[in-house]
Amino acid sequence: MVFKTKLTELTGIEHPIVQGGMQYVGVAELASAVSNAGGLGLLTALTQPTPDALRKEIARCRTMTNKPFGVNLTFLPAITPPPYDEYAKVIIEEGIKVVETAGNNPGKYIKMFKDAGIVVLHKCTAIRHAFSAQRLGVDIISMDGFECAGHPGEDDIGGLILLAKSAKKLNIPYIASGGFGDGRGLAAAIALGAEGINMGTRFMCTVESTIHQHIKEAIVQADERQTTLVFRPFRNTSRIFKNKIAIEVNKREKKPDLQFEDVRELVAGSRGRQVYTTGDPDYGVWTAGQVVGLIDDIPTCKELVHRISAEAEDILTRQVNSVIVKESKL
């Protein structure tokens, strides 16, 4: 089964499934495997320590696949921000055809990418943000529901409402993100008007994902209650795996005079990165979506993508047709 949607037409992929851009996870091994499976693999630009390292990772990915793949570039508030201009320049110079942007104030970079003829997907957690991205000229919105890993925004609106409202309000295509991991999700997203799905956590738990096997097994063993929200008091909410560190962060966040210094050492990015290399799920904080409750195996990317497409096809054809009864004409 090969789907034909606006996502597949714009990006040249076979199946309307995008691998989310994930810090420390979106590297060549995973991105190439997703693309080889017929989806859209994404390298995460800021996982690479320098723009030159990103250039080398793009070249490495090209040795692993001749299918379309893209790059995620996320703009985050920071006292000393990364050299975004240089990362964007590498993406353009290397001839990347698809970019996923996310975060704050992306307008300058969206213009740069569009001027270079690049297809731009932009992640949003609210309809008002999608309107802004639409005005900036992005090609596709990736609408992120409250179920998602990472930053779900501050409105706490689930995907069911966001996707249905996107169909009513947006003038450009959109895909569904947050809570997707199987064919039922893809079929539901298409029924709600989306042109495909974006999956992050589900792709973490595949053979080609380079994170430690113990973390993949922790995801398989978890249920949908095994995530929590942190940084709510700072209005920078993030959904992470509910481990011992996360529980301690939540406890400290109840302090009436809370300062970020109270949790800084617990949430250090260096500790989170080591989770993926050491395999200790309690060593630091790491992102995971509520979709962990739907994950019960560790397939190859090809097995996963093809299974999801087949399940969605079955639901959208045989199962839907079985419940529709045409009224007979007398």
Side-chain angles (χ1 to χ4, degrees):
M1 173 68 180
V2 175
F3 283 84
K4 182 180 180 182
T5 71
K6 292 175 182 175
L7 171 67
T8 63
E9 291 175 339
L10 280 168
T11 60
I13 60 178
E14 300 170 49
H15 304 284
I17 299 171
V18 178
Q19 167 235 316
M22 297 170 281
Q23 186 74 335
Y24 310 135
V25 181
V27 295
E29 285 80 0
L30 180 59
S32 63
V34 173
S35 291
N36 285 333
L40 181 68
L42 292 178
L43 298 175
T44 305
L46 298 185
T47 290
Q48 303 304 319
T50 65
D52 188 56
L54 174 60
R55 192 186 301 276
K56 293 175 182 176
E57 191 70 2
I58 291 170
R60 199 166 71 89
C61 195
R62 284 188 170 132
T63 68
M64 302 179 187
T65 184
N66 59 5
K67 301 286 186 69
F69 68 89
V71 175
N72 163 280
L73 185 57
T74 299
F75 307 99
L76 299 173
I79 296 173
T80 305
Y84 290 123
D85 285 33
E86 295 178 37
Y87 279 103
K89 183 180 178 183
V90 166
I91 290 169
I92 293 168
E93 289 178 349
E94 289 301 314
I96 293 296
K97 302 299 184 185
V98 184
V99 170
E100 179 190 65
T101 55
N104 303 321
N105 302 315
K108 169 185 173 181
Y109 301 98
I110 289 171
K111 185 178 187 306
M112 288 172 62
F113 295 139
K114 291 306 301 172
D115 287 348
I118 296 172
V119 172
V120 178
L121 288 74
H122 184 70
K123 292 181 73 69
C124 298
T125 59
I127 296 294
R128 65 184 185 279
H129 299 155
F131 285 153
S132 297
Q134 184 173 267
R135 286 193 296 270
L136 290 171
V138 305
D139 298 282
I140 306 173
I141 298 294
S142 182
M143 186 55 73
D144 236 4
F146 185 59
E147 305 90 337
C148 72
H151 297 280
E154 307 302 321
D155 295 342
D156 299 359
I157 307 298
L160 192 63
I161 302 303
L162 287 176
L163 296 176
K165 190 162 185 178
S166 294
K168 293 175 65 175
K169 297 294 185 180
L170 297 181
N171 298 323
I172 59 175
Y174 63 96
I175 62 174
S177 181
F180 294 93
D182 59 18
R184 292 183 183 88
L186 175 55
I190 290 174
L192 285 162
E195 304 290 335
I197 57 174
N198 178 300
M199 304 193 310
T201 306
R202 173 67 269 203
F203 276 124
M204 289 173 63
C205 205
T206 56
V207 170
E208 295 90 349
S209 167
T210 58
I211 67 174
H212 199 286
Q213 182 70 14
H214 289 173
I215 303 306
K216 298 178 189 181
E217 292 168 359
I219 292 172
V220 168
Q221 293 162 11
D223 66 23
E224 61 276 11
R225 301 167 298 172
Q226 204 65 38
T227 73
T228 190
L229 299 172
V230 295
F231 306 151
R232 302 229 82 177
F234 309 110
R235 294 193 61 77
N236 187 30
T237 301
S238 184
R239 185 179 299 281
I240 64 174
F241 193 82
K242 190 175 184 180
N243 60 10
K244 293 177 182 178
I245 298 291
I247 292 169
E248 178 62 25
V249 171
N250 284 158
K251 179 181 176 181
R252 295 189 188 186
E253 285 179 333
K254 293 178 181 178
K255 289 180 56 177
D257 56 347
L258 175 71
Q259 301 293 322
F260 186 69
E261 292 301 321
D262 296 323
V263 298
R264 180 186 294 274
E265 84 280 4
L266 294 177
V267 301
S270 58
R271 290 181 63 162
R273 185 168 195 168
Q274 286 187 61
V275 166
Y276 297 143
T277 56
T278 66
D280 179 358
D282 287 310
Y283 188 78
V285 299
W286 50 284
T287 59
Q290 291 179 332
V291 74
V292 293
L294 299 177
I295 298 173
D296 54 16
D297 65 350
I298 307 171
T300 66
C301 288
K302 182 177 180 179
E303 290 169 342
L304 178 62
V305 168
H306 289 204
R307 181 172 73 199
I308 289 173
S309 288
E311 288 174 354
E313 177 191 10
D314 181 60
I315 291 166
L316 291 170
T317 53
R318 182 182 63 81
Q319 291 190 34
V320 171
N321 288 336
S322 71
V323 299
I324 297 174
V325 179
K326 293 186 178 180
E327 201 171 351
S328 61
K329 293 181 180 180
L330 297 177

